[in-house]
Amino acid sequence: MKHVTILCLGIALFAGHFAYGWGDKGHAIIVSIAERHLTPKAHKNIQSILDHPMVYYASWMDNVRSNPLYAETASWHYANVDEGESYKTMTKNPEGDVYTKTVMVIDRLKDRSLNDSLKTLYTKYLIHLVADLHCPMHTGRLTDLGGNKFPVKWFGQPTNLHAVWDEKILESAHRWSYTEWCENIDVAGEKERLVMASGTPSDWLNQCVDICKKIYLNTQQDTNYSYDYIQSHIETVETQLLRAGYRLAALLNEIYQ
Ligand SMILES: [Zn+2]
């Protein structure tokens, strides 16, 4: 019984730690970038199934995670990969992960017979999951719960590696609103955008895993990080935001053509 209690407590802690993904701002930036690159037809079709602009639902999946109706989605935000492992060699979460569920949602949305209420639900899932699939610490190690158990200091304040990458670098780099972020980073030409949007969800996941492995190599526990860390990593954050936005736009343009 004691073991069961400890196991349940472990699962509860584990689930609770992954509630925020990119943080509200990161999710809003990604969905806004995608929205800027939708075809007029895709934009119109999406508007007809959502009762608000897409960005309204950017963090919706994080907000409904504690709602029992959406309990099955709790593990969909991440895919842990331990040191010395790859996604392929890791034991898969039987409840699903950010990769398997992104693929599932894309498949469902491409099914022409999908009814409108499911189309609405799966679109809300897609705009969040593609973003989480590009959030580096969401492919962090299972042994430290994706960096949640990797203590560091940020400008002298105790935090953890997961939080640094979800929002602290982004929030500390500029005091911009999500629309200002979009205006300032979404400056790639069409050719560059097409290159960045290419690949499959499997490629995108492996790219994220590679980035995450480099982060572990370049970050030490119990160390104070500030301006130098932002300088070293802001380009990676911006690239992941752009890739996620452009790839999400490409998927939506294909689904809602
Ligand atoms: Zn999330």
Side-chain angles (χ1 to χ4, degrees), residues 20-21 27 62 77 128 132 138:
Y20 295 106
H27 277 287
D62 286 333
H77 303 250
H128 188 87
D132 277 352
H138 281 232

Side-chain angles (χ1 to χ4, degrees), residues 13-141:
L13 283 172
F14 181 72
H17 272 301
F18 286 90
Y20 295 106
W22 272 109
D24 279 350
K25 195 174 280 178
H27 277 287
I29 295 166
I30 289 167
V31 174
S32 280
I33 290 171
E35 204 155 28
R36 288 156 71 104
H37 298 287
L38 290 179
T39 62
K41 196 171 178 197
H43 196 259
K44 200 173 150 225
N45 287 338
I46 293 167
Q47 263 185 332
S48 73
I49 61 133
L50 292 182
D51 52 3
H52 287 85
M54 281 203 311
V55 70
Y56 182 88
Y57 292 109
S59 297
W60 175 81
M61 272 192 85
D62 286 333
N63 300 334
V64 298
R65 277 194 48 176
S66 50
N67 181 333
L69 270 179
Y70 299 95
E72 62 159 0
T73 67
S75 67
W76 297 15
H77 303 250
Y78 56 91
N80 293 120
V81 178
D82 275 330
E83 194 177 8
E85 304 271 359
S86 64
Y87 175 75
K88 216 174 161 187
T89 63
M90 275 299 281
T91 305
K92 305 293 177 293
N93 189 331
E95 308 294 321
D97 60 49
V98 69
Y99 170 69
T100 59
K101 293 301 172 181
T102 301
V103 171
M104 181 276 284
V105 164
I106 294 169
D107 281 352
R108 296 299 311 270
L109 282 167
K110 284 183 176 171
D111 177 354
R112 297 275 166 211
S113 65
L114 194 68
N115 68 42
D116 277 0
S117 74
L118 283 178
K119 225 186 246 181
T120 304
L121 178 68
Y122 285 113
T123 300
K124 289 183 196 171
Y125 285 158
L126 184 72
I127 63 177
H128 188 87
L129 292 178
V130 172
D132 277 352
L133 186 64
H134 289 78
C135 196
M137 290 313 297
H138 281 232
T139 56
R141 299 170 185 165

